[in-house]
Amino acid sequence: MGSREFPYRSGVWRFRELIHPLVKDKEIVSRSEGDTTLYSHKKVIQYTGIENIFMKHEGENPTGSFKDRGMTAGISEAKRLGMNLVACASTGNTSASMAAYASMAGMRSIVFIPEGEIAFGKLSQAMAYGAQVFQVSGNFDDAMSLVQKSSRELGIYLLNSINPWRVEGQKSIMFELIQQLNWSSPDWVVVPAGNLGNTSAFGKAFDELEKLELIEEIPRIASIQATGADPFYRTWKEKKEELKPVKDPETIATAIKIGNPVSWKKALRTIKLTNGIVEEVTDQEIMDAKAVIDSSGIGCEPASAASVAGAKKLVESGMIDKKERVVCIITGNILKDPDATINYHLGKLKGISPRFPNNPVVIEASLDAVRNVI
Ligand code: F0G
């Protein structure tokens, strides 16, 4: 923190030796990602009952999600290898990030997205940044298996989080967090979980920090899934060593609407290493938590609120103690999915009755009308 020089002003490349020591300056494609804020707010403290709860806002990254941290590492590696065509499957944020970084590097990019299932903010970014957009008929898991086949057969460089450089870049969320806490560990890190790249990356980050003696204790990681898209939760709950995919995942949090997460094995390693846990939260819990985060002025997209909803649930079940220090990862920006936000406040989301609605008031264009409603 503090350096204004390229590439060290980036919250990823500041930790270059722990992320990609071999990459040269001229190969690095960076938009000064990271350096995201650690927030605390009394509304969230009251809502969860946790006195020491913080939110690290990864939605403050250049394209509005944590994906930029893994993407700067992945695209830089693609450049190092001389690639000029990259691809990913995505529930939206990875595609937005990859499209931007590929265009900055002068590469072509193709995104495979499930047709009609990603939030408009994200689709608009992928189109605008210049990616070729393939709308796959099917869900994210179908798009994921198609992009894996395509990259194997057609020599396209794959940039999903099964690409190890993506995971390397995402470790920096934890490096930066520990630095922000003056090189001390929180008791818990709570993270929304979909394809499980982040959960995997966090475990690897803490393993390395401990081996380097930069931390004394490894925080416990709580991975939070949406109830309708919870294969990893089921694996953990049933103490299995295999994952049974959820065939038709369903949740309002489209970013984590994933039935067959690719990184579940690495993520399970993280949960074991950190003495962590896996929890699930309903769409109602996600959207109410989002309304609290939003109305505190911080704001996020639905999937991100799974972290705060999860922390609240874990306090209520006694797993997290009210006095412990808890950091929730806010993964994406509030502008990613305005439809979900507006429909929540208007009470138009199927199966969800908003606990914290904020309805617009229609008034006549007169001072009296204003006087009557304020
Ligand atoms: N939150 C947001 C906002 C996301 O976009 C994602 C994943 C997650 C949480 C879950 O993270 O996959 O590392 O467990 N989005 C991916 C995408 C799948 O394609 O944008 P994870």
Side-chain angles (χ1 to χ4, degrees):
M1 259 176 242
S3 174
R4 286 156 67 196
E5 252 171 74
F6 178 90
Y8 301 100
R9 62 174 175 253
S10 156
V12 175
W13 295 106
R14 185 149 25 91
F15 303 101
R16 178 179 188 163
E17 292 79 2
L18 295 177
I19 287 170
H20 199 331
L22 295 180
V23 76
K24 299 192 179 71
D25 276 4
K26 65 177 186 343
E27 292 157 344
I28 292 179
V29 184
S30 169
R31 292 186 55 182
S32 304
E33 37 295 309
D35 280 336
T36 57
T37 313
L38 199 56
Y39 292 97
S40 156
H41 195 284
K42 70 170 189 292
K43 276 195 175 179
V44 180
I45 295 171
Q46 269 161 11
Y47 188 62
T48 57
I50 305 168
E51 289 160 30
N52 273 310
I53 188 166
F54 298 90
M55 286 152 286
K56 184 159 175 62
H57 205 329
E58 289 298 304
E60 293 176 350
N61 273 292
T63 76
S65 82
F66 71 93
K67 304 287 180 180
D68 295 338
R69 294 189 184 252
M71 203 52 72
T72 182
I75 286 276
S76 299
E77 174 63 9
K79 192 165 169 189
R80 195 172 86 92
L81 296 172
M83 297 291 167
N84 48 33
L85 180 57
V86 295
C88 70
S90 181
T91 55
N93 281 324
T94 303
S95 63
S97 181
M98 189 190 72
Y101 279 79
S103 290
M104 287 212 63
M107 295 173 197
R108 274 184 59 209
S109 66
I110 309 174
V111 302
F112 291 64
I113 54 168
E115 188 190 4
E117 296 205 10
I118 77 169
F120 256 40
K122 306 172 189 182
L123 177 60
S124 70
Q125 283 179 290
M127 289 164 66
Y129 290 136
Q132 200 170 357
V133 179
F134 291 170
Q135 307 219 47
V136 180
S137 49
N139 59 26
F140 169 81
D141 302 302
D142 300 317
M144 188 70 223
S145 80
L146 183 60
V147 79
Q148 282 180 275
K149 261 184 238 147
S150 309
S151 68
R152 257 196 317 268
E153 300 291 323
L154 309 173
I156 308 168
Y157 190 68
L158 186 60
L159 274 171
N160 275 100
S161 54
I162 34 176
N163 181 318
W165 298 105
R166 286 272 318 278
V167 171
E168 290 305 304
Q170 280 168 216
K171 289 186 318 194
S172 68
I173 307 174
M174 292 301 107
F175 296 162
E176 199 178 275
L177 168 67
I178 296 295
Q179 188 178 19
Q180 281 169 316
L181 296 174
N182 294 322
W183 301 101
S184 69
S185 292
D187 296 299
W188 289 91
V189 172
V190 188
V191 60
N195 222 12
L196 296 168
N198 250 355
T199 302
S200 305
F202 292 2
K204 190 160 192 283
F206 287 129
D207 191 31
E208 292 174 6
L209 288 176
E210 194 192 35
K211 285 185 176 134
L212 290 166
E213 298 181 8
L214 287 167
I215 54 170
E216 280 169 13
E217 266 181 78
I218 292 184
R220 299 181 74 181
I221 291 181
S223 251
I224 315 294
Q225 296 219 283
T227 303
D230 64 349
F232 188 54
Y233 170 74
R234 292 185 200 191
T235 294
W236 183 79
K237 182 100 185 159
E238 291 160 20
K239 298 191 168 52
K240 295 245 170 72
E241 291 292 324
E242 66 202 51
L243 181 126
K244 201 164 140 245
V246 168
K247 224 160 165 234
D248 292 306
E250 195 47 66
T251 168
I252 178 94
T254 51
I256 52 174
K257 192 172 164 183
I258 296 173
N260 192 12
V262 290
S263 297
W264 71 268
K265 280 187 187 158
K266 287 188 216 163
L268 196 56
R269 229 180 288 152
T270 289
I271 300 298
K272 288 178 184 167
L273 171 84
T274 68
N275 188 23
I277 57 160
V278 187
E279 185 52 277
E280 62 175 7
V281 288
T282 63
D283 283 2
Q284 177 79 49
E285 289 168 316
I286 287 174
M287 291 309 289
D288 286 333
K290 172 175 148 56
V292 174
I293 299 163
D294 290 352
S295 66
S296 69
I298 295 166
C300 65
E301 67 163 284
S304 311
S307 58
V308 169
K312 176 176 161 61
K313 190 165 175 186
L314 291 168
V315 167
E316 284 163 0
S317 71
M319 180 59 77
I320 293 182
D321 189 277
K322 278 184 164 80
K323 299 255 181 273
E324 287 183 300
R325 187 157 65 154
V326 178
V327 176
C328 292
I329 306 301
I330 303 294
T331 46
N333 188 287
I334 191 173
L335 292 174
K336 292 278 189 176
D337 191 353
D339 291 341
T341 308
I342 290 171
N343 288 326
Y344 172 86
H345 288 290
L346 296 179
K348 285 188 179 170
L349 294 178
K350 232 173 61 201
I352 293 177
S353 40
R355 271 180 71 194
F356 311 105
N358 180 19
N359 276 309
V361 184
V362 180
I363 60 162
E364 271 172 33
S366 74
L367 189 58
D368 274 347
V370 176
R371 199 175 282 124
N372 285 340
V373 291
I374 57 172

